[in-house]
Amino acid sequence: MSAAAPAAGLHDCREAYVRAIAELAAEDDRIVAVVNDSVGSSKLGAFRDRFPTRLINVGIAEQNMVGVGAGLANGGKIPFVSGAACFLTARAMEQIKVDCAYSQANVKLCGISSGVAYGELGATHHSIEDIAWLRAIDKLTIIVPSDPWETAAAIKAAAAWDGPVFLRISRMPVPDIARTAGAAFVIGRAETLRSGDDVAIVATGTLVHRAIAAAEALAAEGVSARVINMATVAPIDTDALAAAAATGAIVTAEEGLATGGLGGAVAEYCARNHPVPMQMIGFPGFLPTGSADWLMENFGLTAHGIAAAARDVIARKR
Amino acid sequence: MRVEHVRAKANWMRRRLLRMIVDAGQGHPGGDLSATDIVASLYFDTLRIDPLSPNAPGRDRFVLSKGHCTGALYTALAGAGFFPEADLDTYLKPNSRLNGHPNRTYLPGVETNTGPLGHGLPVAVGIAVAGQIDAAGYRVFVVTGDGELQEGSMWEAAMFAGHRGLGNLTVIVDRNRLQQGARTEDTNALEPLVDKWRAFGWDVFEIDGHDVAALLTAFDDAALPRSRPRVLIANTVKGQGVSFMRDQASWHHGVPSAAQYAQAIAELEAEQAK
């Protein structure tokens, strides 16, 4: 599928992903890429040209792709197994569970064009269930980067991490997130992008910049919103969640199912430890026909939607 | 000499795995016994492995794709020195390292966790691809069930192995012709099985899976360098070695009574004494 280049100031995170993999591969010959005929959609053409023996294309066969990834790890490689998130996860779920997580194979699974990036192609091609599904698998790290910098940092952190990792790579155009100098990506550690004590917005992936915009709108109304970038959804940063719960109201936001994913993870933590009013921004299920932008807008995955949810949970505070 | 050595080990494996199953009160004796001669030939002759260095990068790999046949695998690993034989007494007991299906995070010598059918071959293909990229000298051996070949992932992997020309890969199909509930050919027929593998780009050989001399020769013949993957369709008998278990689907996961166990051991000891 061809897509127009992102508008000025916005980025397709696949670019950062392929750059990071190429940089790693140049330094470490254990790095290989495994794809399911997805060289184009994963933007790995340049990688294949530069490292022809290290691009393993199994064809349209996702179960075999993930099994081969686990085998390459057994053979001493660090495989980045990349395919459209919808097929990589759903089609090969048992291979992810058994060959990667249960076997603790050193495989890096990259779900490309996650969420609703495929827009009009419909629910078969949306990958909104992936976080909920994968979060149920023990000993599988799940990372959902928010922008190009974090995507590259997460890829490098995953390569250095001994064990299976799922990276949810977006193609939805996103701006660079403003960060303080010296910001570092650490697997399992959330990033507090904005402090605040009236409400906490816990966001991941493409919803992070929208959460910041929501917090800015709320600030204009005198509402102080904490913004947490929960890039690592599993294992989740419970210290950050404790700080979020301390505000007394939480909104979660993700480009995925509102329940079961990040929202579910945060709700589980709060129900057990610190119940507070919550709202979950995300999708309800199979979605109607529409572009990615329209779907995000129509289902309230916007700064406006997050801010409205924040006002709601604040009103419900005791 | 090699043959006698392997045959004695196989006889010991059969007796030992039956004791495990009787002690645990469950297991998969039929498929264990059909695969025993194949697994024994690999572990006690062919594989270049070192139990003191189970993760050595250059080791040969063995993947039990039919992961339920842990009786054959665990006795072989214990017999080869990967863990103490006494651990076999813990089979299936709480917190045992010897789960009903093999787990590499519990036990040295297990390359990948299997159990659901259709997983071992794709992983083995990945190991073989790594060896191909590195021009490493190791070989990869896989034992699959025949019923397991009804899983689509096996043919995804077979197609890719043929495409890549994985000469370091040898698959042994434990062709006992029985799956859990019935004959393979009455369930979802596999034949013509030789033609299927050949069409996927493999060198195919039919062999008696209980003829240790033939197995060793076939494994020797698979020595590198080769440019195509090789599959041995090993004709076997489910329950081989115990008269009343032979070719009976009911012994897929049956457990012998005390009297049946005594008879089985007597038969195996008589075979050993020959």
Side-chain angles (χ1 to χ4, degrees), chain A residues 32 53 55-58 61-65 67-68 70-72 74-75 77 94-95 98-99 102-105, chain B residues 59 61 99 103-106 111-113 116 118-119 122-123 125-127 129-130 133-134 138 153 156-157 160 164:
Chain A
V32 296
T53 64
L55 188 288
I56 296 137
N57 187 349
V58 302
E62 290 74 25
Q63 296 182 72
N64 188 47
M65 173 170 69
V68 164
L72 286 159
N74 177 294
K77 303 299 181 188
E94 194 180 68
Q95 280 74 17
V98 176
D99 306 353
Y102 188 46
S103 293
Q104 284 295 286
Chain B
R59 70 192 182 281
R61 267 70 162 186
N99 189 266
N103 184 321
R104 68 179 286 271
T105 70
Y106 298 170
E111 299 290 352
T112 186
N113 298 7
H119 284 250
V123 174
V125 166
I127 302 172
V129 170
I133 291 170
D134 292 341
Y138 62 76
S153 55
E156 290 184 6
F160 190 57
R164 294 280 306 206

Side-chain angles (χ1 to χ4, degrees), chain B residues 39-178:
Chain B
V39 175
S41 297
L42 289 166
Y43 272 92
F44 300 108
D45 188 281
T46 300
L47 293 174
R48 292 171 306 162
I49 48 176
D50 178 1
L52 298 177
S53 186
N55 297 317
R59 70 192 182 281
D60 286 343
R61 267 70 162 186
F62 173 73
V63 173
L64 183 70
S65 202
K66 47 178 281 186
H68 54 290
C69 290
T70 43
L73 179 65
Y74 291 160
T75 52
L77 286 170
F82 282 87
F83 56 84
E85 187 191 330
D87 284 15
L88 296 174
D89 297 333
T90 71
Y91 182 54
L92 308 185
K93 293 195 166 60
N95 292 316
S96 172
R97 295 196 292 169
L98 277 60
N99 189 266
H101 297 93
N103 184 321
R104 68 179 286 271
T105 70
Y106 298 170
L107 274 186
V110 175
E111 299 290 352
T112 186
N113 298 7
T114 51
L117 297 176
H119 284 250
L121 182 57
V123 174
V125 166
I127 302 172
V129 170
Q132 184 185 53
I133 291 170
D134 292 341
Y138 62 76
R139 293 194 287 167
V140 185
F141 292 87
V142 186
V143 168
T144 79
D146 49 1
E148 184 175 7
L149 297 176
Q150 291 161 357
E151 290 281 5
S153 55
M154 300 298 278
W155 298 103
E156 290 184 6
M159 184 183 287
F160 190 57
H163 171 76
R164 294 280 306 206
L166 297 175
N168 52 0
L169 179 63
T170 299
V171 167
I172 305 101
V173 178
D174 182 3
R175 184 75 173 110
N176 62 34
R177 296 182 173 267
L178 282 169

Side-chain angles (χ1 to χ4, degrees), chain A residues 258-278:
Chain A
T259 53
L262 173 67
V266 175
E268 288 162 17
Y269 172 83
C270 289
R272 286 172 171 153
N273 300 284
H274 193 149
V276 296
M278 275 189 69

Side-chain angles (χ1 to χ4, degrees), chain A residues 208-235:
Chain A
V208 171
H209 74 88
R210 292 169 168 90
I212 294 168
E216 287 166 355
L218 290 165
E221 302 167 12
V223 173
S224 158
R226 186 177 191 85
V227 177
I228 294 170
N229 170 20
M230 194 63 78
T232 309
V233 175

